[in-house]
Amino acid sequence: AQSVAQPEDQVNVAEGNPLTVKCTYSVSGNPYLFWYVQYPNRGLQFLLKYITGDNLVKGSYGFEAEFNKSQTSFHLKKPSALVSDSALYFCAVRDEESNYQLIWGAGTKLIIKP
Amino acid sequence: ETGVTQSPTHLIKTRGQQVTLRCSSQSGHNTVSWYQQALGQGPQFIFQYYREEENGRGNFPPRFSGLQFPNYSSELNVNALELDDSALYLCASRNAASSYNSPLHFGNGTRLTVT
């Protein structure tokens, strides 16, 4: 069965430092991977996606993610964190067997301290 | 282009009652999906509508039902409310014709509390 794991409930980073939010997945076909961000009392906003091609994907607000097929991972990264990056981050995956349904991770709370 | 809007923003209902949540999708988006997000969890897929017909459903009982209208609006109806139905309900839309993997555009959600 398809699944997404975000192993860290919370990640704490000092402002200006690089950040990584981890995501691993399990699907039977080729994965289509997504990252979304959720601010308090708001819906989810799309950050970036991997469909095919270059393993390093660049997205909104300076975020990027690296697809690693051998490790079945799609970690979200940013070279220099901002306090305004503090939010809840969700990884999601769909594959050819679930063409209409995204499978979501439980989310990682990112806290950037000044 | 307009975004996805949901109403109401907050709602309190009593166990056993029925509720209707509304969503106005982004213009031109022919696919709408509904999600339930319990506190501290990721979104759980309820169902999806494409051109006014349901074309996908998650593990939710039949008392969760929906409608999609030609004007890009949609509804989520929940009958016989239970305490565990308390959650943030998210509507998301996309244009399935533009790309197989076009991203979802989410509304800000309706916070439903069942007492």
Side-chain angles (χ1 to χ4, degrees):
Chain A
Q2 302 114 328
S3 66
V4 175
Q6 293 183 242
E8 302 154 316
D9 291 336
Q10 183 169 309
V11 171
N12 298 298
V13 178
E15 186 178 26
N17 283 0
L19 68 88
T20 299
V21 183
K22 296 179 180 178
C23 171
T24 59
Y25 64 90
S26 175
V27 297
S28 54
N30 293 317
Y32 304 102
L33 294 150
F34 301 78
W35 275 102
Y36 285 79
V37 60
Q38 187 176 32
Y39 297 98
N41 300 313
R42 301 294 296 273
L44 284 79
Q45 297 178 30
F46 170 75
L47 278 179
L48 50 79
K49 65 180 178 182
Y50 171 82
I51 306 301
T52 186
D54 194 349
N55 289 343
L56 185 64
V57 178
K58 294 188 183 296
S60 305
Y61 312 120
F63 284 93
E64 58 188 27
E66 186 169 10
F67 171 65
N68 188 316
K69 188 173 183 178
S70 63
Q71 297 185 5
T72 62
S73 67
F74 189 55
H75 300 333
L76 181 70
K77 300 179 180 183
K78 187 173 182 180
S80 179
L82 300 172
V83 173
S84 58
D85 293 330
S86 299
L88 198 53
Y89 290 80
F90 290 95
C91 180
V93 67
R94 65 154 54 113
D95 71 349
E96 294 162 345
E97 294 185 16
S98 62
N99 62 345
Y100 51 78
Q101 182 175 349
L102 280 172
I103 310 300
W104 295 82
T108 297
K109 186 176 184 179
L110 177 63
I111 297 177
I112 309 300
K113 298 183 178 180
Chain B
E1 55 183 15
T2 58
V4 178
T5 57
Q6 292 185 242
S7 62
T9 55
H10 295 82
L11 198 54
I12 299 175
K13 288 286 190 177
T14 303
R15 187 172 48 185
Q17 286 187 316
Q18 179 268 342
V19 69
T20 297
L21 310 182
R22 293 181 171 81
C23 172
S24 178
S25 299
Q26 192 155 325
S27 180
H29 285 188
N30 53 17
T31 302
V32 65
S33 48
W34 285 87
Y35 291 84
Q36 180 194 67
Q37 186 180 18
L39 202 60
Q41 297 184 21
Q44 298 294 313
F45 175 69
I46 302 176
F47 45 58
Q48 175 175 285
Y49 279 78
Y50 172 67
R51 292 185 175 178
E52 302 165 47
E53 290 193 7
E54 184 181 301
N55 74 338
R57 191 175 184 93
N59 294 324
F60 281 81
R63 60 189 185 85
F64 285 79
S65 63
L67 287 171
Q68 185 186 27
F69 304 101
N71 65 351
Y72 307 116
S73 66
S74 63
E75 290 180 355
L76 164 64
N77 298 289
V78 187
N79 293 323
L81 284 166
E82 301 176 359
L83 296 179
D84 285 348
D85 295 334
S86 296
L88 181 67
Y89 288 85
L90 296 166
C91 167
S93 70
R94 70 183 186 96
N95 185 346
S98 66
S99 168
Y100 180 80
N101 281 297
S102 56
L104 294 170
H105 295 258
F106 282 85
N108 287 334
T110 294
R111 174 72 63 186
L112 173 65
T113 302
V114 182
T115 62

